[in-house]
Amino acid sequence: MASETTAPPPPAANLKRIVAASLIGTTIEWYDFFLYGSAAALVFNKLFFPGSDPLVGTLLSFLTYAVGFAARPIGALVFGHYGDRLGRKKLLVLSLLLMGGATFAIGLLPTHATVGAAAPVLLTALRLVQGFALGGEWGGAVLLVSEHGDAKRRGFWASWPQTGAPAGQLLATGVLSLLTATLSDDSFVAWGWRIPFLLSGVLVVVGLWIRLSVDESPVFQEALARSEARGRTRGSAAERLPLVSVLRHHWRDVLVAMGARMAENISYYVITAFILVYATTSAGVSRQTALNAVLIASAVHFAVIPAWGALSDRIGRRPVYLLGAAGVGLWMFPFFSLIDTGGFGNLILAVTVGLVLHGAMYAPQAAFFSEMFATRMRYSGASIGAQFASVAAGAPAPLIATALLSDYGSSTPISLYVIAAAVLTLIAVGVAEETRHRDLAGVADHDGAEVPVPAADARSTA
């Protein structure tokens, strides 16, 4: 068997177009997903769960928010399977259509006052579609860039799709902030909240136009050709399911990825979603002030992610990731103390520092997870590791934080919750292997399945 060396990097213009396509697509997907989270904190408790105590209504609203996370592992399995068989591009187009369609439909939903109990049921169903789509989006977007990009700067280039999260948060929060600033509370609750959801239809058209213009990953195409050749040689076209291959060859990497996601995912949703509850109910901050703080911090978050990604190319994925996990854990008590002052400047400082530290985990994550898995199981492996963790991490984070606040009336248990997640991530990343020098083309093992190896070790063997 012969190993394959990594293909030369594509022309700069082509790579930038691929990065732009992934970034715009992920921005739209995260805009849709985060828009729901912000609306869940601000208006869904009134429109779809009326008659409850305000905190109970918020808990119910966040419960439907968490349902979207429950669907993400299913999306990871389905999109990962077909993405490893058919290619990254086709599945990314489908994920964008599903997400955009569900978000647009939420903007048209009747409320509880109009159709009664059917309203939260319809809302939950559309949230499931959102989660299913996002479960398949992340893996494909980061792989498309990772597998096209220059190996020496993979951390930098692959971090750009990651900026789609703060860009989507920035866009969603910005639109909501503009509407709450220009509309009365009654108008916003009556009809204004629908506008950002309906805007998703326009954004999806733009995203599809750009995403359809890019080429399939050359690393995937080469791996597919080798796989088909092996099938002809052995007289069988059937291949092991990607999921089976992942669990057989990469079960340890899946566990590392899940552990790595704990602090990253939990801290992000506490800092950006739960803060809208905590700042307005416990710190006496207005809804507009809280939204503006998240808006400013998201802009900084967007700017620092590529810098963290570039640093991971120089010193490795693990050191940068470990710095972020430790930093987020240490920041939690100062984070809530600053918010408790009620000052706008302190609120901005609390959220901004939290998101900068979060970026140290999120930026290298794309390259780190991509480099763990072989090409024909990479979509499945990266997606499963990332999205299964989200069920235990990001999904219940605002719900748990709100429940802790309701039960204890203090931010201390919430800080301890995030610190515990940081410890789990430090352990997971601490035992992981450094992947910075791995060759994404990989080398074939005795079963014909590819396993990633260091680029320096990729050489032809008899």
Side-chain angles (χ1 to χ4, degrees):
M1 291 180 288
S3 70
E4 301 290 335
T5 56
T6 304
N14 185 40
L15 179 57
K16 290 177 180 177
R17 186 174 74 250
I18 292 161
V19 170
S22 291
L23 170 57
I24 291 172
T26 53
T27 297
I28 295 169
E29 295 258 5
W30 283 114
Y31 165 81
D32 292 347
F33 203 74
F34 288 144
L35 183 61
Y36 188 102
S38 296
L42 297 175
V43 294
F44 284 174
N45 56 338
K46 303 180 185 72
L47 296 173
F48 293 92
F49 306 98
S52 302
D53 172 83
L55 261 183
V56 174
T58 301
L59 280 169
L60 293 172
S61 185
F62 273 141
L63 188 59
T64 63
Y65 174 73
V67 162
F69 286 84
R72 283 164 68 170
I74 302 172
L77 290 171
V78 174
F79 280 80
H81 174 82
Y82 288 103
D84 282 328
R85 284 178 168 266
L86 305 177
R88 291 45 167 135
K89 177 180 173 179
K90 295 175 183 176
L91 275 297
L92 286 174
V93 170
L94 178 60
S95 70
L96 190 60
L97 284 171
L98 286 173
M99 177 65 89
T103 305
F104 186 82
I106 289 174
L108 300 175
L109 274 183
T111 64
H112 190 280
T114 305
V115 296
V121 172
L122 292 171
L123 182 67
T124 302
L126 291 173
R127 182 60 175 172
L128 283 169
V129 176
Q130 280 191 324
F132 178 78
L134 190 61
E137 162 70 22
W138 180 84
V142 300
L143 293 189
L144 197 63
V145 176
S146 295
E147 293 178 345
H148 271 94
D150 178 358
K152 292 182 179 179
R153 303 186 69 197
R154 186 180 296 132
F156 171 74
W157 290 117
S159 71
W160 279 101
Q162 300 291 77
T163 65
Q169 179 76 64
L170 190 65
L171 190 58
T173 306
V175 171
L176 283 172
S177 182
L178 178 63
L179 289 171
T180 56
T182 56
L183 297 176
S184 66
D185 285 348
D186 289 343
S187 295
F188 181 76
V189 172
W191 56 269
W193 68 271
R194 297 182 183 274
I195 294 175
F197 286 91
L198 298 176
L199 277 176
S200 181
V202 178
L203 296 175
V204 166
V205 172
V206 176
L208 283 175
W209 175 69
I210 296 173
R211 188 161 274 186
L212 287 169
S213 69
V214 302
D215 299 324
E216 181 56 82
S217 156
V219 173
F220 171 80
Q221 290 175 322
E222 292 167 7
L224 180 61
R226 291 195 301 271
S227 176
E228 291 174 345
R230 287 198 303 270
R232 288 193 297 269
T233 300
R234 297 175 185 181
S236 173
E239 279 204 64
R240 186 183 293 114
L241 293 173
L243 173 60
V244 176
S245 296
V246 167
L247 296 180
R248 179 175 180 179
H249 296 286
H250 292 287
W251 61 269
R252 184 177 182 276
D253 295 317
V254 169
L255 292 178
V256 167
M258 291 177 67
R261 284 275 281 172
M262 297 305 291
E264 178 269 307
N265 219 217
I266 288 173
S267 65
Y268 187 79
Y269 290 105
V270 168
I271 292 168
T272 60
F274 173 70
I275 188 180
L276 298 178
V277 175
Y278 184 82
T280 54
T281 60
S282 295
V285 175
S286 71
R287 178 171 58 190
Q288 183 66 47
T289 299
L291 282 170
N292 287 343
V294 174
L295 188 67
I296 293 168
S298 295
V300 177
H301 193 211
F302 178 92
V304 300
I305 285 177
W308 285 122
L311 183 62
S312 78
D313 286 327
R314 295 179 64 86
I315 68 173
R317 318 299 182 211
R318 292 174 66 251
V320 177
Y321 213 115
L322 290 169
L323 173 64
V328 160
L330 293 171
W331 184 244
M332 276 302 103
F333 280 109
F335 173 78
F336 284 108
S337 295
L338 287 167
I339 295 173
D340 287 338
T341 66
F344 183 53
N346 286 340
L347 188 60
I348 293 174
L349 178 62
V351 182
T352 300
V353 173
L355 288 183
V356 168
L357 293 169
H358 170 270
M361 293 182 284
Y362 200 55
Q365 188 180 100
F368 189 33
F369 289 8
S370 297
E371 291 158 350
M372 287 181 183
F373 302 96
T375 304
R376 292 305 308 282
M377 59 188 85
R378 185 170 293 134
Y379 203 143
S380 294
S383 297
I384 291 168
Q387 303 307 334
F388 272 70
S390 70
V391 176
L399 190 65
I400 291 173
T402 303
L404 289 173
L405 179 63
S406 178
D407 289 344
Y408 295 96
S410 167
S411 63
T412 299
I414 305 166
S415 297
L416 294 175
Y417 166 53
V418 178
I419 290 169
V423 171
L424 286 175
T425 293
L426 288 170
I427 294 171
V429 178
V431 301
E433 297 179 6
E434 180 55 59
T435 63
R436 176 165 59 111
H437 295 297
R438 283 186 176 174
D439 175 11
L440 289 187
V443 62
D445 68 10
H446 65 281
D447 279 326
E450 297 164 23
V451 291
V453 296
D457 293 342
R459 51 178 66 92
S460 297
T461 58

